[in-house]
C-alpha cells in the first residue's frame, strides 16, 4: 500500500473517447515521487492520450487528474508543473538552440544571467556544450532529442513526460540514450513518465511498468514481476517470447499441460479449473528422451549469437526453447521445467480482458 | 551533363520570360527615355515632378498601404480560425476565395459598383427598411473597399499556407513550456507565419499601387491614382512616351517594395 501523500500524480477513473471510440476506459493509475514509470503497450492503445491528459492537452470525459492531491483536470498546460518531451522533438525552427532552451525561462521572466547559466548547465548535462548558436535543423535527430530534453528540464518540472523519445533514433543511439536518460533522471531527481511500445526499453529503464492494451491497464509492476509473473496472456505475449499453453489446475501446486502433470508453485486457482500457463523459452530444459516430463522432437534450430533458438513439437504443441546446448533438427528430446518457472494465469473472463491482439 | 539537361528543361521558361517579361520591360524603358521623334530625353520621367502627378502617386501609395493593412487585418485572424477551428478548411477556403478569383476582376468591380450605387442594391435594401441611405460610391472608401475585395485572396492564400504548415506540436510545446495562448501567438505562430505575411504584403501592395480599373469604376473618375494618370496618357492623349516615363517611375517603387520585403524575408526567417 502506498501512502496517499506519496502520490505525485493520481489519475482517477479517467475515461476518454474520440468520435465515439473509447480510447481510455476507467483508467486508474498513480505515480509516486521520483519514480521512473513507463506506459508500455502496442501502438494505438492510448499511451499518448494518457500522457496528453497528464500534460493538459486533452481533457478527460470523466474522471480526475490529481497533482499532489489537488484536482488539476481543468488547468491549462502552461499552468502545470509538468514538462513534455515530444515524440518529434518539436523544437522551434526559427530559434537558435539557446533561444529554444530559454523559451520557458523567458516566459517566467527569469533574469538574463540566470537564463545564461541555465542554458550552459543544460547543454552540459546533455553533452552538447557549445551548441548555443546553432539552428535546430542543423542538428542530427539524436542531438535534437537531447535539446528537447534540455529545453524541458531547465524549467525544473516536478514531472517530465516523454513520449517515445527514442522512437526515431537508430538502435545504437537508442541504447546510448537509454543510459543517458537514466543518468539524467538520477542526477535531476525528477519523476519520469515514459511512453514506449518497445518492451526491452521498458524493462531496461523503468522502476514501474504499466502494460496497456486497448485503453485498459493489463498489469502494473516492476520490470521483474512483469517479466516473471505476467498476469495474463497478453502481458506474457507482449513482454518477450513465451510459450502460452492452455492447462488445467488439478489442485494447488499441480497443473496438467498437454496431458502431463507438472509441479508448480502457484496456489489459489481452485481445483480442476482451466488456466493459461506461461513458460519462458529460456526456462525450458532439454534432456534425453524419457528423462523429462514429456518428450518432443526438434523441428527447427537457429543460432542467435548467445543461444540457440529451437522449436520442439510435443503432443501437438510447438514450444520455443532457448538453450546454449545444441540439438539438431529431428532429435528426440525430453522437456523439463522447474516448478518456479511455470507461471499460472487466470483465463480472461471478459472480452475486454481478452484483447490479446498485438498490432505491432 | 546533368547541367545541360537542366538548361534544356529550362528553355521554355526562359523563352517565356524573354517574350512576356523582358521584351515589354525593354520597350517601356525605350519609350520612357525617348521623345516623339525617338531621340533620348529624360523629360518623360522627370514629368513626375508636377503637382498632379506627385499627388496621384502619393494618393496611390496611401491607398495601397491602407488596402494592404486592411487585407492583413482581415486575412490573418481568418486564417488562424480556418486552421484551428474548421476541419478540411482548405476546401472551404478554395470555395470562398479561389472561386471568385476565376471571375474577371473587371466584372467583380462592376458588381460592386452596382451594389454601392446611389440606387444600388444596398441602398435599395436600406430604403426598403426605411433606414438612412449610404453613399460611398465615387468616394475614397469605395475605392479602398474595391481594392480590399479584389486583392484579399492574394493575402489569404500565402498567409493560410504558412499558418497551416506550422506543426501543432510546436504550439503544444509552447503551451507546455508555460506560454499562454497570446504568448504562443507572439513567440511561435507570428514569427513562423512571417514568410506568408511578407509575400501577402507584396502581392497586395503591388497591384493596389498600379490599379486604374478600381479607381475608375468605383471612384467615378474623380479620384486620380497614378494608374489612372498613366492610363489617360496612353489612351486619351496617345502619348506613349509620357505614359512609359511615369510607368518607369512606378516600376522603381515596385522594385523598392519588393526589395524591402525580400530583405525582411531573409533576415527574419533565418
Ligand atoms: N485527437 C484524436 N482524434 C481522434 N482519435 C484520436 C485522437 N488521438 C488519438 N486518437 C485515437 O485514440 C487511439 C489511441 O491513440 P494514442 O493514445 O495516440 O495511442 P498510442 O500512443 O498508444 O499509440 C488511437 O486509436 C487513435 O487513433
Ligand atoms: Mg503514441
Amino acid at each position: 500500500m502506498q501512502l496517499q501523500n506519496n502520490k505525485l500524480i493520481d489519475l482517477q477513473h479517467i475515461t476518454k473517447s474520440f468520435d465515439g471510440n473509447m480510447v481510455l476506459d476507467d483508467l486508474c493509475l498513480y505515480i509516486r515521487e521520483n519514480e521512473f514509470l513507463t506506459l508500455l503497450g502496442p501502438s494505438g492503445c492510448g499511451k499518448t492520450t494518457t500522457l496528453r491528459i497528464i500534460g493538459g492537452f486533452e481533457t478527460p470525459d470523466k474522471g480526475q487528474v490529481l497533482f499532489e492531491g489537488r484536482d488539476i483536470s481543468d488547468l491549462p498546460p502552461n499552468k502545470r508543473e509538468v514538462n513534455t518531451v515530444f515524440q518529434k522533438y518539436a523544437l522551434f525552427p526559427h530559434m537558435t538552440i539557446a533561444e529554444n532552451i530559454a523559451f520557458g525561462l523567458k516566459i517566467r521572466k527569469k533574469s538574463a544571467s540566470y537564463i545564461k547559466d541555465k542554458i550552459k548547465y543544460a547543454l552540459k548535462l546533455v553533452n552538447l556544450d557549445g551548441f548555443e548558436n546553432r539552428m535546430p535543423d542543423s542538428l542530427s535527430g539524436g542531438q535534437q532529442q537531447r535539446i528537447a530534453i534540455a529545453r524541458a528540464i531547465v524549467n525544473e518540472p516536478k514531472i517530465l513526460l516523454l513520449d517515445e523519445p527514442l522512437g526515431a533514433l537508430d538502435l545504437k543511439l537508442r541504447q546510448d540514450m537509454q543510459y543517458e536518460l537514466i543518468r539524467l533522471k538520477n542526477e535531476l531527481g525528477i519523476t519520469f513518465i515514459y511512453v514506449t511500445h518497445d518492451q526491452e526499453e521498458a524493462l531496461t529503464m523503468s522502476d514501474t511498468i504499466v502494460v496497456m492494451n486497448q485503453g485498459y491497464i493489463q498489469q502494473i509492476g516492476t520490470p521483474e514481476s512483469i517479466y516473471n509473473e505476467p498476469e495474463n496472456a497478453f502481458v506474457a505475449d507482449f513482454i518477450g517470447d513465451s510459450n502460452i499453453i492452455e492447462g488445467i489446475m488439478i489442485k494447488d501446486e499441480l497443473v496438467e499441460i498437454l496431458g502431463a502433470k507438472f509441479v508448480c508453485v502457484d496456489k489459489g486457482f481452485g481445483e480442476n479449473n482451466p488456466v493459461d500457463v506461461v513458460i519462458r523459452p529460456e526456462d525450458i530444459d532439454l534432456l534425453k528422451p524419457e528423462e523429462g516430463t514429456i518428450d518432443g522432437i526438434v523441428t527447427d534450430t537457429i543460432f542467435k549469437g548467445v543461444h540457440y533458438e529451437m522449436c520442439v513439437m510435443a503432443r501437438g504443441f510447438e514450444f520455443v526453447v532457448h538453450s546454449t546446448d545444441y540439438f539438431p533438427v529431428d532429435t528426440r528430446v525430453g522437456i523439463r521445467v522447474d516448478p518456479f518457472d511455470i507461471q499460472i494465469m487466470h483465463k480472461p473472463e471478459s472480452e475486454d480482458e481478452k484483447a490479446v491482439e498485438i498490432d505491432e | 551533363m546533368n547541367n545541360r539537361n537542366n538548361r534544356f528543361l529550362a528553355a521554355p521558361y526562359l523563352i517565356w520570360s524573354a517574350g512576356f517579361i523582358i521584351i515589354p520591360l525593354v520597350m517601356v524603358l525605350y519609350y520612357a527615355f525617348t521623345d516623339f521623334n525617338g531621340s533620348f530625353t529624360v523629360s518623360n520621367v522627370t514629368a513626375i515632378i508636377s503637382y498632379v502627378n506627385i499627388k496621384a502617386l502619393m494618393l496611390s501609395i496611401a491607398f495601397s498601404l491602407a488596402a494592404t493593412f486592411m487585407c492583413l487585418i482581415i486575412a490573418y485572424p481568418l486564417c488562424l480560425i480556418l486552421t484551428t477551428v474548421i476541419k478540411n478548411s482548405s476546401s472551404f477556403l478554395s470555395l470562398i476565395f479561389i472561386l471568385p478569383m476565376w471571375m474577371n476582376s473587371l466584372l467583380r468591380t462592376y458588381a460592386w459598383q452596382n451594389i454601392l450605387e446611389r440606387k444600388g442594391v444596398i441602398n435599395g435594401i436600406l430604403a426598403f427598411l426605411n433606414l438612412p441611405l449610404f453613399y460611398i460610391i465615387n468616394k475614397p472608401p469605395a475605392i479602398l473597399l474595391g481594392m480590399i475585395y479584389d486583392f484579399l485572396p492574394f493575402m489569404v492564400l500565402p498567409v493560410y499556407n504558412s499558418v497551416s504548415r506550422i506543426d501543432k506540436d510546436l504550439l503544444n510545446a509552447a503551451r507546455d513550456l508555460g506560454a499562454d495562448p497570446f504568448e504562443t501567438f507572439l513567440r511561435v505562430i507570428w514569427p513562423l507565419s512571417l514568410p506568408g505575411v511578407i509575400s501577402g504584403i507584396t502581392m497586395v501592395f503591388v497591384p493596389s499601387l498600379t490599379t486604374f480599373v478600381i479607381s475608375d469604376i468605383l471612384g467615378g473618375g474623380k479620384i486620380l491614382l497614378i494608374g489612372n494618370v498613366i492610363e489617360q496618357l496612353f489612351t486619351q492623349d496617345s502619348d506613349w512616351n509620357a505614359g512609359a516615363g511615369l510607368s518607369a517611375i512606378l516600376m522603381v517603387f515596385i522594385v523598392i517594395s519588393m526589395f524591402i520585403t525580400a530583405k525582411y524575408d531573409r533576415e527574419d526567417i533565418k
Side-chain angles (χ1 to χ4, degrees):
Chain A
M1 276 312 295
Q2 295 303 323
L3 292 169
Q4 175 76 26
N5 61 9
N6 210 358
K7 296 175 183 174
L8 196 51
I9 286 272
D10 196 354
L11 302 178
Q12 295 187 331
H13 306 285
I14 300 285
T15 302
K16 177 79 188 171
S17 50
F18 291 109
D19 315 319
N21 290 325
M22 190 75 88
V23 174
L24 297 176
D25 193 358
D26 200 36
L27 180 119
C28 296
L29 176 67
Y30 61 86
I31 296 112
R32 280 169 292 139
E33 202 152 345
N34 224 346
E35 190 171 15
F36 193 129
L37 180 130
T38 299
L39 302 176
L40 173 68
S43 152
C45 72
K47 307 180 296 290
T48 297
T49 306
T50 309
L51 214 60
R52 287 171 61 84
I53 285 173
I54 298 173
F57 302 109
E58 302 282 359
T59 334
D61 300 339
K62 278 196 222 126
Q64 290 185 320
V65 183
L66 302 187
F67 182 85
E68 293 178 329
R70 202 160 42 94
D71 185 0
I72 58 162
S73 308
D74 296 323
L75 218 55
N78 47 318
K79 298 256 166 67
R80 299 192 180 193
E81 288 176 83
V82 169
N83 282 117
T84 309
V85 175
F86 290 86
Q87 190 162 7
K88 287 186 231 106
Y89 322 140
L91 299 181
F92 303 117
H94 58 300
M95 298 181 191
T96 63
I97 296 307
E99 286 167 338
N100 262 284
I101 297 175
F103 191 93
L105 302 173
K106 278 190 190 148
I107 297 238
R108 289 191 179 79
K109 309 252 186 312
K110 300 286 186 194
S111 74
S113 62
Y114 177 87
I115 292 178
K116 200 160 165 249
D117 288 347
K118 270 285 185 187
I119 292 172
K120 233 181 142 64
Y121 159 80
L123 283 176
K124 207 177 177 66
L125 204 63
V126 297
N127 289 328
L128 288 174
D129 320 60
F131 274 62
E132 279 89 345
N133 295 318
R134 298 272 292 270
M135 296 307 284
D137 63 6
S138 74
L139 269 57
S140 72
Q143 290 170 335
Q144 289 190 36
Q145 185 61 72
R146 284 190 263 169
I147 297 301
I149 293 167
R151 183 178 69 175
I153 60 179
V154 288
N155 302 295
E156 298 173 1
K158 291 258 173 69
I159 304 176
L160 194 62
L161 308 178
L162 303 106
D163 191 356
E164 310 215 11
L166 312 182
L169 308 181
D170 59 50
L171 183 66
K172 179 76 181 72
L173 198 55
R174 202 154 73 217
Q175 288 169 343
D176 291 347
M177 281 297 291
Q178 288 175 6
Y179 290 107
E180 289 280 294
L181 280 174
I182 295 170
R183 175 183 66 83
L184 266 178
K185 169 161 185 313
N186 293 337
E187 263 174 55
L188 295 166
I190 47 182
T191 308
F192 274 37
I193 305 181
Y194 191 93
V195 160
T196 184
H197 64 259
D198 181 335
Q199 43 105 0
E200 268 185 48
E201 203 167 283
L203 292 171
T204 312
M205 302 173 76
S206 325
D207 299 323
T208 306
I209 296 178
V210 179
V211 184
M212 292 176 67
N213 191 34
Q214 304 196 344
Y216 292 91
I217 293 178
Q218 302 285 331
Q219 187 171 357
I220 304 179
T222 62
E224 291 81 9
S225 70
I226 296 273
Y227 188 85
N228 293 327
E229 295 143 37
E231 277 170 16
N232 60 38
F234 173 81
V235 177
D237 200 30
F238 195 72
I239 307 286
D241 297 325
S242 358
N243 300 290
I244 303 172
I245 318 158
E246 297 193 344
I248 293 170
M249 202 68 187
I250 307 281
K251 55 176 189 178
D252 280 354
E253 301 184 3
L254 190 66
V255 65
E256 183 184 300
I257 314 166
L258 304 170
K261 293 191 175 59
F262 283 75
V263 178
C264 60
V265 294
D266 297 81
K267 295 177 201 167
F269 287 85
E271 293 191 0
N272 294 316
N273 276 333
V275 289
D276 279 330
V277 180
V278 176
I279 305 171
R280 294 285 176 195
E282 63 273 24
D283 292 337
I284 295 177
D285 300 323
L286 295 184
L287 312 165
K288 295 208 183 80
E290 315 294 339
E291 286 183 8
T293 317
I294 54 176
D295 281 358
I297 294 188
V298 178
T299 55
D300 197 12
T301 298
I302 310 168
F303 183 56
K304 285 271 179 136
V306 182
H307 60 260
Y308 295 91
E309 180 173 303
M310 285 165 284
C311 294
V312 179
M313 184 61 95
R315 302 190 184 182
F317 183 86
E318 190 166 65
F319 285 88
V320 178
V321 181
H322 292 173
S323 168
T324 46
D325 297 329
Y326 173 68
F327 293 88
V329 172
D330 287 337
T331 318
R332 220 181 144 69
V333 291
I335 291 174
R336 191 179 64 101
V337 187
D338 286 330
F340 48 84
D341 285 333
I342 294 176
Q343 174 67 26
I344 310 290
M345 304 178 303
H346 283 290
K347 279 228 167 269
E349 276 156 21
S350 66
E351 276 306 300
D352 293 332
E353 219 182 304
K354 200 160 155 194
V356 280
E357 297 96 285
I358 299 175
D359 304 339
E360 273 196 353
Chain B
M1 172 197 104
N2 205 352
N3 217 354
R4 199 193 301 160
N5 253 345
N6 287 347
R7 224 177 290 161
F8 178 72
L9 284 173
Y13 174 71
L14 291 179
I15 292 168
W16 189 89
S17 10
F20 292 96
I21 300 174
I22 296 173
I23 292 176
L25 263 178
V26 169
M27 282 180 62
V28 167
L29 289 176
Y30 170 77
Y31 277 107
F33 287 99
T34 53
D35 67 9
F36 184 62
N37 300 317
S39 49
F40 177 80
T41 174
V42 292
S43 64
N44 297 320
V45 178
T46 51
I48 186 70
I49 312 169
S50 75
Y51 176 72
V52 179
N53 290 348
I54 287 281
K55 189 185 164 203
L57 181 62
M58 289 302 145
L59 207 55
S60 283
I61 291 174
F63 266 109
S64 308
L65 286 176
T68 308
F69 180 73
M70 289 305 295
C71 282
L72 184 61
I73 292 288
I74 296 168
Y76 204 98
L78 184 79
C79 292
L80 282 185
I81 294 168
L82 280 176
T83 48
T84 51
V85 181
I86 301 173
K87 282 184 184 167
N88 295 329
S89 58
S90 61
S91 57
F92 176 75
L93 189 78
S94 56
L95 192 71
I96 66 164
F97 283 101
I98 300 178
L99 217 58
M101 280 172 81
W102 287 344
M103 230 189 327
N104 186 301
S105 81
L106 201 60
L107 284 182
R108 283 183 285 148
T109 312
Y110 273 117
W112 270 111
Q113 189 185 38
N114 227 303
I115 294 169
L116 296 174
E117 261 171 350
R118 287 177 171 270
K119 292 180 179 165
V121 177
I122 290 184
N123 280 340
I125 296 170
L126 289 175
F128 180 78
L129 296 172
N130 271 330
L131 291 170
L133 299 190
F134 173 76
Y135 301 118
I136 65 163
I137 189 76
N138 300 346
K139 292 184 186 151
I143 298 180
L144 191 59
L145 182 80
M147 286 181 174
I148 294 169
Y149 175 76
D150 259 8
F151 304 132
L152 187 60
F154 296 117
M155 183 67 84
V156 170
L157 294 181
V159 170
Y160 177 81
N161 254 331
S162 63
V163 171
S164 65
R165 271 211 307 263
I166 299 174
D167 187 350
K168 294 282 174 294
D169 263 358
L170 293 181
L171 311 186
N172 285 338
R175 298 301 305 278
D176 188 74
L177 293 165
D180 61 29
F182 180 67
E183 284 165 321
T184 304
F185 171 76
L186 220 58
R187 289 166 192 264
V188 181
I189 301 176
W190 174 252
L192 286 175
S193 67
L194 264 185
V197 169
I198 283 163
S199 65
I201 288 175
T202 320
M203 285 172 71
V204 173
F205 185 76
V206 170
S208 303
L209 193 62
T210 54
T211 183
F212 56 87
V213 171
I214 295 172
S215 42
D216 249 4
I217 298 175
L218 298 176
K222 287 182 196 159
I223 297 160
L224 279 191
L225 298 186
I226 191 70
N228 301 95
V229 173
I230 294 171
E231 184 217 4
Q232 283 178 5
L233 287 172
F234 273 103
T235 56
Q236 288 172 19
D237 305 355
S238 293
D239 188 345
W240 284 36
N241 303 93
L246 294 188
S247 300
I249 295 280
L250 203 50
M251 262 189 305
V252 171
F253 275 88
I254 293 169
V255 169
I256 289 172
S257 77
M258 287 170 81
F259 257 112
I260 293 172
T261 50
K263 186 170 174 298
Y264 269 105
D265 208 6
R266 245 174 283 128
E267 277 185 359
D268 277 2
I269 317 309
K270 103 168 138 97

